[in-house]
Amino acid sequence: MKPSIKQHQSEKLTQLGSQLASLRQEKDLTLDELVLLTRIPRRLLRAIEEGNLNDLPEPIYIQGLIRQFAAALGLQGGEFASHFPIGHQSVGVRSSWKGQSILQLRPIHLYLLYIILIFSSVNSLSQLLNNPTLQANNRQIQPGKEPQSAEQKTSANKSSISKQDQSVQVGVTLKASSWISVVTDGKTAFEGVLPRGYSRTWKANQQLTVKTDNAGGVLMSVNRQEAKEMGEIGKTEEIQIAAQPN
């Protein structure tokens, strides 16, 4: 009676596995070292060496495992693995996928399915993160912050404008060369002699003080109003202007 394809595969696996085990031992390599070289799980390498067909995946995959095993030991992997018969199983593997439940899948199938699922998840997540609409929403709504209503935005704008308006601006124009000292918010902004015809502007958030030794030679304008002489010619004058809403 002619042996079945499975019996033939079992006999060949035993023969090839025995040769690989002998060669591995001759090279003084352990199975754990072969795991590092081939990236094949230890139990599958052991099953090949022992010719245990039931602990291995479909024949088409067994041939691939034998090829990697043999190549790691210095053999022509493809040629050596070709002695393991696949028969018509290579055709049946693909068609049998539909009929198998997830519980019937061999370990190698589970590995492939796991890799496919990971790849699909990463790809979907990448597309989601790169979505222009999502990115725009993320910029508008930051974590821990709630979107502002129109009234809140208007109130914030008014507050900002109010703070900006609460300042004082002073401009001076020299009718005659004069010594001038300008203090803004408690700090000296300028002190020295300015020539005739010179114009300059200073700004302060709280208070601005202008002092000169020739009040009649200095025209001063507060908050862009009409410029006026600080006092009489040759007289010392000091003027303080506090900031207030315009």
mmCIF file of all heavy atoms in Angstrom, residues 16 19-20 23 27 34 38 40 45 48 62-82:
data_model
loop_
_atom_site.group_PDB
_atom_site.id
_atom_site.type_symbol
_atom_site.label_atom_id
_atom_site.label_comp_id
_atom_site.label_asym_id
_atom_site.label_seq_id
_atom_site.Cartn_x
_atom_site.Cartn_y
_atom_site.Cartn_z
ATOM 1 N N LEU A 16 15.625 14.542 7.764
ATOM 2 C CA LEU A 16 16.271 15.853 7.662
ATOM 3 C C LEU A 16 16.573 16.436 9.037
ATOM 4 O O LEU A 16 17.630 17.043 9.248
ATOM 5 C CB LEU A 16 15.374 16.815 6.874
ATOM 6 C CG LEU A 16 15.081 16.432 5.421
ATOM 7 C CD1 LEU A 16 14.070 17.405 4.803
ATOM 8 C CD2 LEU A 16 16.359 16.432 4.599
ATOM 9 N N GLN A 19 19.670 14.919 10.505
ATOM 10 C CA GLN A 19 20.884 15.462 9.900
ATOM 11 C C GLN A 19 21.210 16.851 10.460
ATOM 12 O O GLN A 19 22.378 17.161 10.740
ATOM 13 C CB GLN A 19 20.713 15.547 8.379
ATOM 14 C CG GLN A 19 20.594 14.195 7.691
ATOM 15 C CD GLN A 19 20.363 14.347 6.197
ATOM 16 O OE1 GLN A 19 20.707 15.352 5.603
ATOM 17 N NE2 GLN A 19 19.773 13.310 5.596
ATOM 18 N N LEU A 20 20.185 17.678 10.623
ATOM 19 C CA LEU A 20 20.401 19.018 11.167
ATOM 20 C C LEU A 20 20.870 18.960 12.618
ATOM 21 O O LEU A 20 21.754 19.727 13.025
ATOM 22 C CB LEU A 20 19.108 19.844 11.070
ATOM 23 C CG LEU A 20 18.655 20.218 9.655
ATOM 24 C CD1 LEU A 20 17.269 20.858 9.688
ATOM 25 C CD2 LEU A 20 19.645 21.169 8.999
ATOM 26 N N LEU A 23 24.556 17.897 12.640
ATOM 27 C CA LEU A 23 25.421 18.982 12.191
ATOM 28 C C LEU A 23 25.517 20.088 13.245
ATOM 29 O O LEU A 23 26.585 20.665 13.467
ATOM 30 C CB LEU A 23 24.886 19.560 10.881
ATOM 31 C CG LEU A 23 25.738 20.656 10.227
ATOM 32 C CD1 LEU A 23 27.158 20.171 9.974
ATOM 33 C CD2 LEU A 23 25.094 21.112 8.917
ATOM 34 N N LYS A 27 28.966 21.307 15.213
ATOM 35 C CA LYS A 27 29.409 22.697 15.268
ATOM 36 C C LYS A 27 29.371 23.247 16.685
ATOM 37 O O LYS A 27 29.656 24.433 16.918
ATOM 38 C CB LYS A 27 28.522 23.566 14.349
ATOM 39 C CG LYS A 27 28.745 23.293 12.867
ATOM 40 C CD LYS A 27 27.860 24.188 12.023
ATOM 41 C CE LYS A 27 28.157 24.002 10.547
ATOM 42 N NZ LYS A 27 29.476 24.553 10.189
ATOM 43 N N LEU A 34 20.865 28.797 18.111
ATOM 44 C CA LEU A 34 20.185 28.733 16.810
ATOM 45 C C LEU A 34 18.958 29.649 16.781
ATOM 46 O O LEU A 34 18.611 30.204 15.746
ATOM 47 C CB LEU A 34 19.761 27.293 16.510
ATOM 48 C CG LEU A 34 20.661 26.518 15.534
ATOM 49 C CD1 LEU A 34 20.644 27.133 14.156
ATOM 50 C CD2 LEU A 34 22.088 26.454 16.049
ATOM 51 N N THR A 38 18.428 32.241 13.801
ATOM 52 C CA THR A 38 17.328 32.023 12.855
ATOM 53 C C THR A 38 16.062 32.814 13.177
ATOM 54 O O THR A 38 15.192 32.952 12.325
ATOM 55 C CB THR A 38 16.953 30.532 12.807
ATOM 56 O OG1 THR A 38 16.483 30.128 14.116
ATOM 57 C CG2 THR A 38 18.146 29.680 12.401
ATOM 58 N N ILE A 40 13.821 31.668 14.950
ATOM 59 C CA ILE A 40 12.773 30.643 15.005
ATOM 60 C C ILE A 40 12.616 30.211 16.462
ATOM 61 O O ILE A 40 13.612 29.962 17.144
ATOM 62 C CB ILE A 40 13.147 29.420 14.137
ATOM 63 C CG1 ILE A 40 13.283 29.845 12.659
ATOM 64 C CG2 ILE A 40 12.101 28.312 14.276
ATOM 65 C CD1 ILE A 40 13.785 28.731 11.756
ATOM 66 N N LEU A 45 12.328 24.547 16.491
ATOM 67 C CA LEU A 45 13.614 23.937 16.141
ATOM 68 C C LEU A 45 13.709 22.525 16.715
ATOM 69 O O LEU A 45 14.172 21.595 16.053
ATOM 70 C CB LEU A 45 14.767 24.807 16.677
ATOM 71 C CG LEU A 45 14.927 26.196 16.049
ATOM 72 C CD1 LEU A 45 16.024 26.971 16.766
ATOM 73 C CD2 LEU A 45 15.253 26.081 14.562
ATOM 74 N N ILE A 48 11.598 20.115 14.694
ATOM 75 C CA ILE A 48 12.234 19.731 13.433
ATOM 76 C C ILE A 48 13.279 18.650 13.678
ATOM 77 O O ILE A 48 13.342 17.642 12.969
ATOM 78 C CB ILE A 48 12.871 20.962 12.754
ATOM 79 C CG1 ILE A 48 11.775 21.927 12.271
ATOM 80 C CG2 ILE A 48 13.748 20.544 11.574
ATOM 81 C CD1 ILE A 48 12.305 23.256 11.755
ATOM 82 N N ILE A 62 6.824 24.614 7.065
ATOM 83 C CA ILE A 62 7.877 23.719 7.570
ATOM 84 C C ILE A 62 9.089 23.777 6.653
ATOM 85 O O ILE A 62 10.243 23.833 7.108
ATOM 86 C CB ILE A 62 7.356 22.270 7.688
ATOM 87 C CG1 ILE A 62 6.237 22.179 8.733
ATOM 88 C CG2 ILE A 62 8.495 21.316 8.065
ATOM 89 C CD1 ILE A 62 5.589 20.815 8.822
ATOM 90 N N GLN A 63 8.834 23.770 5.351
ATOM 91 C CA GLN A 63 9.941 23.819 4.392
ATOM 92 C C GLN A 63 10.748 25.109 4.573
ATOM 93 O O GLN A 63 11.980 25.102 4.494
ATOM 94 C CB GLN A 63 9.405 23.722 2.958
ATOM 95 C CG GLN A 63 10.510 23.497 1.921
ATOM 96 C CD GLN A 63 9.949 23.374 0.518
ATOM 97 O OE1 GLN A 63 9.492 24.355 -0.046
ATOM 98 N NE2 GLN A 63 9.980 22.160 -0.019
ATOM 99 N N GLY A 64 10.052 26.211 4.834
ATOM 100 C CA GLY A 64 10.747 27.478 5.067
ATOM 101 C C GLY A 64 11.573 27.451 6.340
ATOM 102 O O GLY A 64 12.693 27.980 6.386
ATOM 103 N N LEU A 65 11.042 26.813 7.393
ATOM 104 C CA LEU A 65 11.776 26.705 8.651
ATOM 105 C C LEU A 65 13.029 25.857 8.478
ATOM 106 O O LEU A 65 14.100 26.174 9.005
ATOM 107 C CB LEU A 65 10.872 26.107 9.736
ATOM 108 C CG LEU A 65 9.656 26.949 10.150
ATOM 109 C CD1 LEU A 65 8.768 26.173 11.114
ATOM 110 C CD2 LEU A 65 10.104 28.264 10.781
ATOM 111 N N ILE A 66 12.888 24.753 7.726
ATOM 112 C CA ILE A 66 14.045 23.879 7.463
ATOM 113 C C ILE A 66 15.106 24.637 6.678
ATOM 114 O O ILE A 66 16.308 24.507 6.930
ATOM 115 C CB ILE A 66 13.594 22.614 6.695
ATOM 116 C CG1 ILE A 66 12.693 21.743 7.588
ATOM 117 C CG2 ILE A 66 14.799 21.810 6.222
ATOM 118 C CD1 ILE A 66 12.083 20.559 6.867
ATOM 119 N N ARG A 67 14.661 25.461 5.726
ATOM 120 C CA ARG A 67 15.607 26.244 4.930
ATOM 121 C C ARG A 67 16.410 27.199 5.811
ATOM 122 O O ARG A 67 17.634 27.297 5.690
ATOM 123 C CB ARG A 67 14.857 27.019 3.849
ATOM 124 C CG ARG A 67 15.786 27.821 2.934
ATOM 125 C CD ARG A 67 15.041 28.541 1.817
ATOM 126 N NE ARG A 67 14.149 29.552 2.345
ATOM 127 C CZ ARG A 67 12.824 29.471 2.368
ATOM 128 N NH1 ARG A 67 12.215 28.390 1.879
ATOM 129 N NH2 ARG A 67 12.087 30.445 2.861
ATOM 130 N N GLN A 68 15.744 27.882 6.725
ATOM 131 C CA GLN A 68 16.445 28.805 7.621
ATOM 132 C C GLN A 68 17.387 28.061 8.550
ATOM 133 O O GLN A 68 18.509 28.497 8.807
ATOM 134 C CB GLN A 68 15.418 29.586 8.458
ATOM 135 C CG GLN A 68 14.636 30.623 7.671
ATOM 136 C CD GLN A 68 13.627 31.333 8.545
ATOM 137 O OE1 GLN A 68 12.431 31.034 8.505
ATOM 138 N NE2 GLN A 68 14.086 32.277 9.342
ATOM 139 N N PHE A 69 16.917 26.929 9.080
ATOM 140 C CA PHE A 69 17.703 26.110 9.989
ATOM 141 C C PHE A 69 18.982 25.658 9.288
ATOM 142 O O PHE A 69 20.100 25.814 9.817
ATOM 143 C CB PHE A 69 16.862 24.904 10.418
ATOM 144 C CG PHE A 69 17.363 24.204 11.653
ATOM 145 C CD1 PHE A 69 16.508 23.404 12.396
ATOM 146 C CD2 PHE A 69 18.680 24.314 12.067
ATOM 147 C CE1 PHE A 69 16.952 22.743 13.529
ATOM 148 C CE2 PHE A 69 19.131 23.648 13.209
ATOM 149 C CZ PHE A 69 18.269 22.868 13.941
ATOM 150 N N ALA A 70 18.838 25.112 8.073
ATOM 151 C CA ALA A 70 19.982 24.586 7.337
ATOM 152 C C ALA A 70 20.959 25.699 6.959
ATOM 153 O O ALA A 70 22.183 25.527 7.056
ATOM 154 C CB ALA A 70 19.486 23.866 6.082
ATOM 155 N N ALA A 71 20.432 26.844 6.548
ATOM 156 C CA ALA A 71 21.302 27.956 6.152
ATOM 157 C C ALA A 71 22.119 28.458 7.328
ATOM 158 O O ALA A 71 23.286 28.834 7.178
ATOM 159 C CB ALA A 71 20.457 29.091 5.571
ATOM 160 N N ALA A 72 21.526 28.449 8.532
ATOM 161 C CA ALA A 72 22.245 28.897 9.720
ATOM 162 C C ALA A 72 23.403 27.971 10.064
ATOM 163 O O ALA A 72 24.365 28.384 10.721
ATOM 164 C CB ALA A 72 21.284 28.990 10.908
ATOM 165 N N LEU A 73 23.329 26.702 9.605
ATOM 166 C CA LEU A 73 24.399 25.735 9.864
ATOM 167 C C LEU A 73 25.400 25.665 8.713
ATOM 168 O O LEU A 73 26.292 24.820 8.714
ATOM 169 C CB LEU A 73 23.787 24.346 10.102
ATOM 170 C CG LEU A 73 22.917 24.215 11.372
ATOM 171 C CD1 LEU A 73 22.270 22.830 11.427
ATOM 172 C CD2 LEU A 73 23.751 24.475 12.623
ATOM 173 N N GLY A 74 25.233 26.547 7.737
ATOM 174 C CA GLY A 74 26.188 26.610 6.643
ATOM 175 C C GLY A 74 25.828 25.792 5.422
ATOM 176 O O GLY A 74 26.639 25.671 4.490
ATOM 177 N N LEU A 75 24.640 25.206 5.378
ATOM 178 C CA LEU A 75 24.213 24.408 4.234
ATOM 179 C C LEU A 75 23.517 25.294 3.200
ATOM 180 O O LEU A 75 23.181 26.452 3.478
ATOM 181 C CB LEU A 75 23.245 23.314 4.696
ATOM 182 C CG LEU A 75 23.798 22.289 5.696
ATOM 183 C CD1 LEU A 75 22.682 21.359 6.136
ATOM 184 C CD2 LEU A 75 24.954 21.494 5.096
ATOM 185 N N GLN A 76 23.325 24.755 1.995
ATOM 186 C CA GLN A 76 22.497 25.431 0.999
ATOM 187 C C GLN A 76 21.046 25.232 1.415
ATOM 188 O O GLN A 76 20.444 24.188 1.151
ATOM 189 C CB GLN A 76 22.752 24.833 -0.401
ATOM 190 C CG GLN A 76 24.147 25.074 -0.928
ATOM 191 C CD GLN A 76 24.400 26.542 -1.227
ATOM 192 O OE1 GLN A 76 23.473 27.287 -1.567
ATOM 193 N NE2 GLN A 76 25.648 26.970 -1.084
ATOM 194 N N GLY A 77 20.500 26.227 2.109
ATOM 195 C CA GLY A 77 19.186 26.084 2.724
ATOM 196 C C GLY A 77 18.087 25.688 1.762
ATOM 197 O O GLY A 77 17.319 24.761 2.034
ATOM 198 N N GLY A 78 18.028 26.348 0.611
ATOM 199 C CA GLY A 78 16.965 26.061 -0.349
ATOM 200 C C GLY A 78 17.038 24.649 -0.884
ATOM 201 O O GLY A 78 16.017 23.952 -0.999
ATOM 202 N N GLU A 79 18.240 24.217 -1.211
ATOM 203 C CA GLU A 79 18.415 22.863 -1.760
ATOM 204 C C GLU A 79 18.091 21.814 -0.713
ATOM 205 O O GLU A 79 17.422 20.821 -0.990
ATOM 206 C CB GLU A 79 19.853 22.703 -2.256
ATOM 207 C CG GLU A 79 20.127 21.347 -2.887
ATOM 208 C CD GLU A 79 21.563 21.216 -3.372
ATOM 209 O OE1 GLU A 79 22.264 22.253 -3.435
ATOM 210 O OE2 GLU A 79 21.978 20.087 -3.669
ATOM 211 N N PHE A 80 18.581 22.023 0.518
ATOM 212 C CA PHE A 80 18.344 21.060 1.581
ATOM 213 C C PHE A 80 16.846 20.953 1.888
ATOM 214 O O PHE A 80 16.308 19.853 2.036
ATOM 215 C CB PHE A 80 19.110 21.488 2.842
ATOM 216 C CG PHE A 80 19.048 20.491 3.961
ATOM 217 C CD1 PHE A 80 19.960 19.447 4.025
ATOM 218 C CD2 PHE A 80 18.081 20.585 4.952
ATOM 219 C CE1 PHE A 80 19.905 18.517 5.062
ATOM 220 C CE2 PHE A 80 18.017 19.673 5.986
ATOM 221 C CZ PHE A 80 18.937 18.627 6.040
ATOM 222 N N ALA A 81 16.157 22.099 1.963
ATOM 223 C CA ALA A 81 14.738 22.097 2.320
ATOM 224 C C ALA A 81 13.870 21.520 1.216
ATOM 225 O O ALA A 81 12.754 21.051 1.480
ATOM 226 C CB ALA A 81 14.285 23.519 2.649
ATOM 227 N N SER A 82 14.369 21.510 -0.037
ATOM 228 C CA SER A 82 13.562 20.997 -1.151
ATOM 229 C C SER A 82 13.305 19.498 -1.032
ATOM 230 O O SER A 82 12.402 18.958 -1.683
ATOM 231 C CB SER A 82 14.264 21.302 -2.486
ATOM 232 O OG SER A 82 15.490 20.575 -2.575
#
